[in-house]
Amino acid sequence: MRIGLLLSGQGAQKAGMGRDLYEQNAAYRAVIDQASDLIGYDFQQEILENDEKLAQTQYAQMAIYTMSMGIYAALDDQIKEQVVGAVGLSLGEYTALAIAGVLTFEQGFKILQDRGRFMQVASDATDSKMLVILDNNQDRILSLIHQAQLAGATIYPANFNTPKQLVIAGLAEDIDQFAENLQQADIKVVPLAVSGAFHTPFMDSAAAELTPRLANEAMAPMNVPVYSNTTGAIFDDVKATLTTQIVSPTHFSDALLAMQAQGLDATLELGPDKTLTKFAKQILDKHVDRYTINDLASFQTVTDEIVGEEK
């Protein structure tokens, strides 16, 4: 089986995530304990069980990365040998790069600790919001965004998640007005529970700090391909792409289709929820199976099924 990994992005976090894995899986627990050693306090108790901290970018990114890496560490080697590529959403790209051997766990953790802080500062500087727009005519939505910009609104496309889901970001009052206009046109919108206008020029200050932060990081060659949300292709210049990513729209759909084009039998999402698996259902061919691991029960079910299929 050719498996493509999907690695969760910010917004998937929730208090208590991975608790049962921590209690009952030694490989998973070792990764969480490594995070505790790196940060200097009990990561499971102080971060993964803490709603208030998980609502903050500076903690949420480390939390999702660490949980996803813990799940990967716990996977059967037979499953790992079947992985042919990886796609992460935004911060999930760091998880994908760590799984692919480009970064060590410690490198990814420390970079995200700083990246989250840079983005938190940028978020706090402006009253901004993100909004999910559910509509199958994205050209129409982009035209409406352009019209709003010409009228003085500060809003931008931020995440092209699926052909039917576009996330926008901007000044809170402009997002609220745009949302009201869309609802009057019978277009469904959903507020996104994040703390800033990510993947837009609102993150310029974060990008300016991330560039020198990444400059001296040693990065190894990939042992599996990782597909970029920014370019829709396999990562080439990792540092430049990660810096561009922070201020540019993500194109998860393009990256996922690029991975499928190389041959894919199944996707396996590692992280707190099933968001990327739901995206994959809309994007990929129907013959591609979809698996998700977000707790102990799903870990046992999925690993038994995948390993059993190969026997």
Side-chain angles (χ1 to χ4, degrees), residues 126-133 138 141-150 152-160 165-172 174-176 178-179 182 192 196-204 246-251:
T126 309
D127 185 15
S128 59
K129 286 185 177 181
M130 299 188 80
L131 182 76
V132 179
I133 303 171
Q138 291 188 352
I141 302 301
L142 292 173
S143 177
L144 292 172
I145 291 170
H146 182 63
Q147 292 173 34
Q149 290 171 334
L150 291 176
T154 307
I155 58 176
Y156 306 94
N159 308 109
F160 292 86
Q165 186 184 116
L166 170 64
V167 180
I168 66 169
L171 291 176
D174 292 339
I175 290 289
D176 288 343
F178 194 71
L182 291 179
L192 191 60
F198 305 142
H199 302 290
T200 73
F202 283 93
M203 293 292 114
D204 281 345
I246 207 170
V247 294
S248 303
T250 62
H251 297 267

Side-chain angles (χ1 to χ4, degrees), residues 255-291:
L256 193 54
L257 287 170
M259 183 167 67
Q260 177 181 250
Q262 302 307 308
L264 203 61
D265 299 312
T267 59
L268 173 58
E269 181 174 0
L270 311 181
D273 68 10
K274 302 178 180 181
T275 298
L276 303 186
T277 301
K278 293 175 182 176
F279 291 170
K281 184 178 181 180
Q282 297 181 45
I283 296 166
L284 298 181
D285 294 342
K286 295 189 182 300
H287 78 268
V288 178
D289 293 328
R290 296 176 299 276
Y291 300 96

Side-chain angles (χ1 to χ4, degrees), residues 68-256:
S68 299
M69 290 296 292
I71 296 171
Y72 182 76
L75 289 178
D76 189 287
D77 285 344
Q78 187 171 335
I79 295 175
K80 294 178 183 178
E81 289 171 1
Q82 297 174 65
V83 172
V84 296
V87 177
L89 181 60
S90 190
L91 83 90
E93 295 194 322
Y94 288 81
T95 315
L97 290 166
I99 287 172
V102 177
L103 303 170
T104 65
F105 173 78
E106 180 175 346
Q107 272 184 299
F109 185 89
K110 289 184 175 180
I111 292 169
L112 285 173
Q113 187 175 16
D114 290 336
R115 179 182 186 264
R117 180 168 48 83
F118 299 155
M119 292 173 70
Q120 187 73 57
V121 170
S123 299
D124 291 345
T126 309
D127 185 15
S128 59
K129 286 185 177 181
M130 299 188 80
L131 182 76
V132 179
I133 303 171
L134 302 172
D135 191 82
N136 59 10
N137 188 344
Q138 291 188 352
D139 287 340
R140 173 176 62 156
I141 302 301
L142 292 173
S143 177
L144 292 172
I145 291 170
H146 182 63
Q147 292 173 34
Q149 290 171 334
L150 291 176
T154 307
I155 58 176
Y156 306 94
N159 308 109
F160 292 86
N161 289 331
T162 76
K164 298 180 180 180
Q165 186 184 116
L166 170 64
V167 180
I168 66 169
L171 291 176
E173 60 181 357
D174 292 339
I175 290 289
D176 288 343
Q177 182 59 59
F178 194 71
E180 183 178 333
N181 294 343
L182 291 179
Q183 288 172 318
Q184 289 175 357
D186 292 325
I187 297 172
K188 186 175 181 180
V189 299
V190 181
L192 191 60
V194 296
S195 60
F198 305 142
H199 302 290
T200 73
F202 283 93
M203 293 292 114
D204 281 345
S205 65
E209 293 195 79
L210 185 63
T211 300
R213 173 64 181 82
L214 292 176
N216 295 321
E217 290 288 342
M219 296 191 177
M222 293 177 197
N223 52 42
V224 297
V226 178
Y227 296 82
S228 162
N229 294 175
T230 306
T231 67
I234 296 171
F235 269 90
D236 182 13
D237 186 333
V238 173
K239 294 177 184 179
T241 303
L242 290 176
T243 302
T244 302
Q245 179 234 62
I246 207 170
V247 294
S248 303
T250 62
H251 297 267
F252 180 80
S253 181
D254 291 347
L256 193 54

